[in-house]
Amino acid sequence: MTTSLERRYTDRLEEFSERHPFLVDLALVLALMGSAALGASLTLPGAAPPDDDRLAVVLMGVSCLALLKHRTHPRLTVVVNALCATVVIAQGYLLTPLLLGPVMASLYWLATLAERETVRAYGLSTVVVVTLAAAGSDSMDHVSLLLRSIGPVFWLLLPLAAGTMTRLRRAYLAATQARAEHAERTREEEARLRVTEERMRIARELHDVVAHHLALANAQAGTAEHLALANPRQTQQILHDLTGTTSSALRELKATLGLLRQTDDEGAPLEPAPGLARLPELVSSCASAGITVTVTTEGEPQPLSPGVDLTAFRIVQEALTNVTKHAATQTAHVRFVYDGPRLLITVTDEGPPTAAAEPSGPSKGFGVMGMRERAHSVGGELRAGPRPEGGFEVSTALPLQPSVSGDEER
């Protein structure tokens, strides 16, 4: 309770000092004037005070008034106080802490405001000058030279040490605050980066789910309309497949949106992320849309990490979606090559060179960009473009295990 009250009053005093520095300095100067006047009136028992009191009063007044400039001219303040104190002591006034109050205050403020080299130069010079004046003063003739020298050295080094400690404490607090602000900015930047990455991940997932199933649904509906009169049985099968396509789209869309709504406290089971194990289902859905997909595998199949497995499936899914939407062909080829620590995937079609390319530009599609981002997220690479012999080709090389930490999908 007491510590809390002391801290509260200390904070209020510091706040008042920052808002009204001149009033605080004036109060200190008046207090030091009284201290110096009292110190000038003190003498040793049996000793007579100096005859010229006015000189001491004027010099102490000048030294105290000079303290009002300690914030802007700390060096000049120390010089003025040192000279005034030296003259007063040389006049035979008794050297006491009360008489040295102004010069001690100037040394303290110098140590808090100036650099270390400046403090050493001015501080040591002041100590030497005042000590020599005290050693030659007539006010303490019966005191040994050692005792006359120890007093001023001690009293003048004390404010220098206190000011240095204050300056170091202020520097420590400033450095601590700077580190805290830097850490806060770093946390905010990291949080913004994580939000951006998560937004991009969700955007890719929604694009893959919505674009693929809507493209298939559109192709299936167009085929059914074309065959409605000529082949009712096939039309019925296509409409049945269309129902399955839309149901699958709704399930995946619901699962993706469910992740956005789910909080950390909810423990509802999540649907497993799709992988290459669902490739037959993908080929079947493309067949119902009129696209014949052939799949070939070279090399010994190796297990994939969940993130790479999902990335491989989504890239193949998006490439086949682009074939369904843009290629003037009814065939596509998917080729898997297990080459050491990498999986090479190639998706090609045999359409005309200009008809197979995916439209470019932000307003026409993000398919290739999304595939490339997925490949890079697990440490792979992707190329996409028209084939010289016709059609379009998407090729990617993915590591069996992700080589970078990052954007692994759930």
Side-chain angles (χ1 to χ4, degrees):
M1 181 67 178
T2 304
T3 304
S4 178
L5 290 176
E6 291 178 356
R7 185 176 301 173
R8 182 184 307 174
Y9 286 117
T10 302
D11 294 340
R12 290 181 179 178
L13 182 60
E14 291 180 356
E15 183 180 356
F16 180 82
S17 176
E18 292 177 357
R19 288 192 297 179
H20 307 284
F22 179 77
L23 295 180
V24 175
D25 294 345
L26 183 61
L28 292 175
V29 167
L30 292 178
L32 290 172
M33 280 185 176
S35 171
L38 179 61
S41 65
L42 297 178
T43 58
L44 289 176
D51 298 333
D52 192 2
D53 292 339
R54 290 178 298 177
L55 178 61
V57 173
V58 172
L59 291 177
M60 289 297 98
V62 171
S63 64
C64 291
L65 291 176
L67 293 175
L68 294 175
K69 294 295 184 179
H70 78 272
R71 297 181 185 272
T72 56
H73 301 84
R75 301 172 183 83
L76 180 61
T77 302
V78 170
V79 172
V80 172
N81 276 269
L83 292 177
C84 292
T86 301
V87 173
V88 170
I89 295 172
Q91 291 295 320
Y93 287 89
L94 181 63
L95 180 63
T96 63
L98 294 177
L99 190 66
L100 291 177
V103 68
M104 292 172 64
S106 65
L107 289 176
Y108 172 80
W109 283 321
L110 176 72
T112 60
L113 298 175
E115 299 81 5
R116 183 180 303 176
E117 293 75 11
T118 302
V119 174
R120 288 178 179 176
Y122 284 80
L124 294 179
S125 300
T126 301
V127 171
V128 170
V129 171
V130 175
T131 302
L132 292 177
S137 176
D138 298 334
S139 62
M140 295 185 294
D141 288 339
H142 60 286
V143 181
S144 66
L145 180 62
L146 179 61
L147 294 178
R148 279 186 283 175
S149 302
I150 290 178
V153 171
F154 173 77
W155 291 114
L156 294 180
L157 289 181
L158 185 62
L160 288 175
T164 302
M165 294 298 296
T166 301
R167 176 171 54 83
L168 294 177
R169 180 177 176 273
R170 290 176 180 174
Y172 171 76
L173 294 177
T176 302
Q177 183 178 1
R179 286 196 299 268
E181 292 176 353
H182 176 72
E184 184 66 23
R185 288 194 301 269
T186 302
R187 284 194 295 268
E188 292 177 357
E189 292 173 0
E190 183 178 356
R192 287 195 295 268
L193 180 61
R194 289 183 178 274
V195 169
T196 301
E197 291 177 350
E198 185 66 12
R199 185 169 65 246
M200 294 299 297
R201 186 188 71 84
I202 294 171
R204 287 197 304 266
E205 196 68 21
L206 288 175
H207 174 272
D208 292 345
V209 172
V210 175
H212 172 70
H213 289 94
L214 287 183
L216 287 180
N218 180 70
Q220 290 169 340
T223 304
E225 181 184 11
H226 180 71
L227 299 176
L229 299 178
N231 196 335
R233 179 173 298 179
Q234 187 177 358
T235 301
Q236 184 178 4
Q237 180 62 37
I238 293 176
L239 293 177
H240 176 75
D241 295 339
L242 176 60
T243 303
T245 300
T246 55
S247 298
S248 179
L250 290 175
R251 283 196 307 271
E252 293 199 29
L253 188 59
K254 182 179 179 181
T256 303
L257 296 178
L259 291 176
L260 300 180
R261 292 185 175 183
Q262 182 177 346
T263 62
D264 294 337
D265 298 333
E266 295 178 355
L270 301 178
E271 182 180 351
L276 292 181
R278 291 180 54 179
L279 187 59
E281 178 184 343
L282 179 62
V283 172
S284 176
S285 63
C286 290
S288 64
I291 303 296
T292 302
V293 180
T294 59
V295 180
T296 58
T297 302
E298 298 180 11
E300 184 67 23
Q302 301 292 329
L304 305 177
S305 69
V308 175
D309 194 18
L310 173 62
T311 299
F313 177 79
R314 289 304 191 194
I315 289 177
V316 173
Q317 182 186 54
E318 178 61 26
L320 293 178
T321 301
N322 290 338
V323 173
T324 304
K325 293 165 55 178
H326 306 297
T329 182
Q330 295 183 346
T331 60
H333 306 282
V334 180
R335 181 168 170 258
F336 296 94
V337 178
Y338 290 89
D339 181 17
R342 299 190 307 167
L343 171 61
L344 307 179
I345 304 175
T346 305
V347 181
T348 59
D349 65 75
E350 299 178 353
T354 57
E358 182 188 19
S360 59
S363 62
K364 296 183 179 180
F366 297 92
V368 173
M369 182 175 65
M371 288 188 291
R372 185 172 290 111
E373 289 176 353
R374 283 189 178 275
H376 290 169
S377 69
V378 295
E381 57 184 13
L382 182 138
R383 295 188 300 272
R387 302 167 63 202
E389 63 272 23
F392 198 83
E393 178 179 276
V394 175
S395 61
T396 181
L398 305 176
L400 300 182
Q401 300 294 328
S403 58
V404 293
S405 61
D407 202 352
E408 281 197 19
E409 309 290 350
R410 302 185 198 182

